[in-house]
Amino acid sequence: METTVDDALLDELLEVARTIALEAGVMIRTGRPREVEVAATKSSAQDVVTAMDLAVEGHLRARLTELRPQDGVLGEEGGSSSGSSGVTWVVDPVDGTVNYLYGLPSYSVSVAAVVGPPDPSGWTVLVGCVHAPSDGRTFLAARGRGATLDGEPIRVRRAPSLIDSLVGTGFGYRVERRRAQARVLAEVLPRVRDIRRIGSAALDLCTVASGGLDLYYERGLSPWDLAAGQLVAMEAGALVTGLEGRPAGTEMTVAGHPDRHAELAALLAAHRADTDE
């Protein structure tokens, strides 16, 4: 069904996203045991799920049922449930689970509301909130309204050239994917200022939005990795796409100031960064 998006709906969705992301942040910050244990694995034995991932997603789903019962939900741990409103919530309870497992601070809660299919190739992201429980930072964006960090407007940084650009990236957990990503990294690294590996795609995108990275690329992002951070980056002035005119998504996501984005995207395309060859 077609959903009419007006200011009142955006206001409501933004407040819901902010509220439940901050609640989840409290759960994570106060509930982390001294020794975190692995509850399950996904694509490989190194791609882990903790009890906190499961508990936080359960909380997010329960709160969305209370606050927006007519909406659908797509979550990393619990799959998809349909709704009747045309709005779907795309949530990642702990983006950066390995960082959380080891006690490193770079992990986040990612909450977004989209219309259209809950897939990056066809959705329109209406609102997004990325909250970092370890230091309390909160990134917010609503479509057409700009992006903020802790209530202050943010804008993407324009590096003078690709060689002067600080570039973020991430890696998959399957061996063949890592080999291909290492091959691409060897081509990118000599052509940029340096590489950073934060470990949370949502925070990577938000760090581009707030000027802490000039560019970011990664193969293998799922919808819940991308939705909220993509909107924050775009509303801060970043271009967020795949390669060769395709939308951002699992094959490849490239984000950064429009003046530098094309250079990195062309380099990645030349080295087949959207394949596992």
Side-chain angles (χ1 to χ4, degrees), residues 129-208:
C129 179
V130 176
H131 175 63
S134 60
D135 60 18
R137 288 177 298 154
T138 303
F139 297 87
L140 282 171
R143 185 173 178 83
R145 295 186 181 183
T148 62
L149 167 57
D150 295 335
E152 296 296 324
I154 52 177
R155 293 293 296 176
V156 67
R157 181 179 182 274
R158 180 189 181 276
S161 64
L162 188 60
I163 194 64
D164 294 310
S165 296
L166 186 63
V167 180
T169 193
F171 308 107
Y173 287 99
R174 292 184 290 108
V175 170
E176 61 272 24
R177 173 66 51 85
R178 289 184 172 197
R179 287 198 180 105
Q181 289 173 321
R183 171 186 59 78
V184 173
L185 182 63
E187 300 294 340
V188 173
L189 184 55
R191 294 171 172 83
V192 300
R193 183 189 296 276
D194 207 347
I195 294 288
R196 293 291 180 267
R197 175 16 169 180
I198 292 174
S200 162
L203 287 180
D204 281 313
L205 289 161
C206 290
T207 303
V208 169

Side-chain angles (χ1 to χ4, degrees), residues 162-163 167 183-192 195 215 217 243-244 252 254 260-274:
L162 188 60
I163 194 64
V167 180
R183 171 186 59 78
V184 173
L185 182 63
E187 300 294 340
V188 173
L189 184 55
R191 294 171 172 83
V192 300
I195 294 288
L215 294 160
Y217 76 94
L243 298 186
E244 299 178 327
M252 179 57 64
V254 186
R260 297 284 80 83
H261 175 283
E263 296 174 74
L264 178 59
L267 175 62
L268 295 169
H271 294 285
R272 309 183 322 280
D274 56 351

Side-chain angles (χ1 to χ4, degrees), residues 1-23:
M1 65 174 291
E2 184 173 343
T3 302
T4 300
V5 180
D6 55 20
D7 285 342
L9 178 60
L10 282 180
D11 288 342
E12 179 182 352
L13 297 177
L14 192 62
E15 180 59 23
V16 170
R18 186 191 69 82
T19 296
I20 65 173
L22 291 177
E23 289 175 356

Side-chain angles (χ1 to χ4, degrees), residues 20 57 60 64 73-76 89-93 110-112 224:
I20 65 173
E57 183 162 323
L60 293 172
L64 287 169
V73 182
L74 172 63
E76 180 172 16
W89 292 90
V90 183
V91 301
D92 193 338
S110 178
V111 178
W224 43 83

